[in-house]
Amino acid sequence: MSPNGRVLIRTLPLSDNFGGVLQAYALQEVLRQLGADAVTDVSRSDRPDGLRSWGKILIKSGVCRVPVLQRFAPIAWHRQLIRRDRARPIRPFVAAKIRTVRIYRGRRPRLDELSDVTLYLVGSDQVWRNAYADVRSYLFDFAPDGAKMASYAASFGRDNLDEYPSQLVEDSRALAQRFEAISVREAEAISLCRDHWGVDAVQHIDPTLLLTVDHYQEISGPSADNLTRKSNVLSYMLDPTIKTGAYIDYVARVLELRRCDLLPPRPARAKSLRPDAAGVPTVHGWLRAFGDASFVVTDSFHGTVFALLNGKPFITLVNEFRGVSRLSSLLNLVGLADRLLVDASEEDIDATLSRAIDWADVNRRLEQERARGRDYLASLVAWSRSSHQRLDGRCAAS
């Protein structure tokens, strides 16, 4: 038990999502640098855990892989097994770099894990998107009365609450009003908090941006994945299509660079999985790929983040399914809204390629936002150790 108590971070489960894992690492690392004893909850309130969970996985795996039975398996079973398989290369980084805890065993929280928690902190990632998470648990509905609660760069993933049923809007409003400080990642989220929850919020950058590129270069080291190649157009696409593939080929042709795909195609069925999660990079290899690239094309929020951190010219292609607001909010913040393309023509791409990025201005803006975010977290850490019940205003002013 920590003499100063612990900071409990609650974020989305760490699986096959490189950005999700790195934002969890970054938030915990910054809190550690600020002197906090932080742990990250990796459990879910809406899914079983333990032996029951493993039993279900074994059944699903058997049904999805046996030729006679696989046609009866729901597509959701195949997707779950594919996600688990593609998470294999990521797990060593999580085990080595992120201190984790499981608050939920089954559907009830373990109250014994909360005895020395002095600050409940939710964020970042799309923790308040109803399609992705049990929102109530990411507003700490399990925390005891009087608990100190705050968020850092929490995201709704959208610019509306259309995914929220009316009862969830009502419940989440009551839960959010117990928070002392609310920090969100997207500009649109400020109005969502005000209009639907009746609370004030401030905007901060994603936790990954709180660390510098030097930090990531130090932890990435040389790649052992054979995925990174100098002088390439790095393609990092979460949802590749024939159209986006044509865009990437066009960029590579214009720049006279070869194309390098960071992720292998995602199989449609679990029967196609191989024992070694072939082609999926480790976290170290993923980081090195962005450092080695000459140009980046991505439909990913965190792909865009690491292009910015590494000072790589880039194009971000809109992925409507995963949400646009987080991309537009980030790029507006650094003055690069014109790098976000929707249904681009070759002329649009040519125009974007011809525009140089003022990296001095981008880095100046990032450094200002980095300082604001770290000051806000430092205020939370100091507040969590005090006996006062209210913040001194520094968080709200950050």
Side-chain angles (χ1 to χ4, degrees), residues 212-327:
T212 65
V213 66
D214 291 340
H215 181 95
Y216 291 112
Q217 289 174 346
E218 182 178 343
I219 66 172
S220 67
S223 173
D225 300 77
N226 297 319
L227 281 168
T228 59
R229 303 167 186 165
K230 296 289 186 180
S231 300
N232 66 67
V233 171
L234 181 69
S235 162
Y236 180 59
M237 302 298 294
L238 299 180
D239 300 301
T241 65
I242 293 175
K243 181 183 287 188
T244 58
Y247 289 154
I248 298 162
D249 285 338
Y250 181 77
V251 170
R253 189 163 63 250
V254 170
L255 296 178
E256 298 182 337
L257 298 171
R258 63 184 155 184
R259 169 177 169 174
C260 177
D261 294 333
L262 187 49
L263 286 182
R266 186 179 293 268
R269 300 284 176 176
K271 68 177 182 179
S272 302
L273 295 177
R274 292 170 54 181
D276 57 353
V280 177
T282 64
V283 173
H284 300 88
W286 191 92
L287 289 169
R288 179 55 59 188
F290 282 90
D292 286 350
S294 299
F295 195 95
V296 175
V297 182
T298 186
D299 65 347
S300 157
F301 174 80
H302 283 104
T304 304
V305 163
F306 279 87
L308 289 170
L309 279 169
N310 283 278
K312 304 297 180 178
F314 68 95
I315 288 175
T316 299
L317 302 175
V318 166
N319 185 331
E320 295 282 357
F321 171 74
R322 294 180 185 268
V324 180
S325 66
R326 56 192 184 140
L327 289 166

Side-chain angles (χ1 to χ4, degrees), residues 4 45 62 83 111 135-136 143 146 148 177 205 236 277 378:
N4 291 318
S45 61
R83 282 196 303 270
L111 299 181
V135 173
R136 294 175 182 85
K148 295 181 176 181
Q177 290 184 355
I205 55 175
Y236 180 59

